[in-house]
Amino acid sequence: MRSKITIYSGGIGEAIAFLSENETPQALIVETSERGDALFQTLEGLAEVCSPDSKVLLVGVDNDIRLYRQLLSMGLSEYFGGPPTM
C-alpha cells in the first residue's frame, strides 16, 4: 500500500478547522510558533478533532526536554524542537 502525502499551509488552527470537517489522516505533522499556555490550549483543540489512532508530530520552536516529555505524555507521537533546517 502506498502512502498519500498532502501538504496544507497554516498552523494548528488551520489543521483544527480542516479536521473538524474531514477525516483524520493516519499521520499528521503540524508546525507552530506558539509557546506556553497558548500552545497547550491550541493542542487541546487539536485533540478534540483528531482520531485517537492518528500519529501527531509537532514541530515547535523550543528545544526543551521537559516540554518534550510533557507533550509526549499528553499523547503526541513526536516533538521536534527548534526551527526546522534542511
Side-chain angles (χ1 to χ4, degrees):
M1 182 171 149
R2 295 194 180 266
S3 296
K4 178 182 174 187
I5 298 173
T6 306
I7 300 172
Y8 295 99
S9 295
I12 298 175
E14 286 80 3
I16 293 170
F18 178 81
L19 295 173
S20 66
E21 298 179 6
N22 295 281
E23 185 177 341
T24 307
Q26 292 177 345
L28 176 67
I29 302 171
V30 291
E31 183 178 359
T32 186
S33 59
E34 293 180 348
R35 292 181 155 135
D37 291 338
L39 172 62
F40 291 105
Q41 290 174 351
T42 306
L43 289 174
E44 287 177 17
L46 183 62
E48 291 175 6
V49 296
C50 275
S51 166
D53 301 340
S54 293
K55 303 290 184 196
V56 178
L57 292 82
L58 179 65
V59 179
V61 293
D62 293 319
N63 188 6
D64 178 0
I65 189 67
R66 206 170 352 161
L67 174 63
Y68 174 82
R69 290 178 179 156
Q70 187 175 7
L71 291 169
L72 267 56
S73 73
M74 292 174 58
L76 259 68
S77 300
E78 190 60 68
Y79 173 75
F80 299 99
T85 61
M86 294 297 238

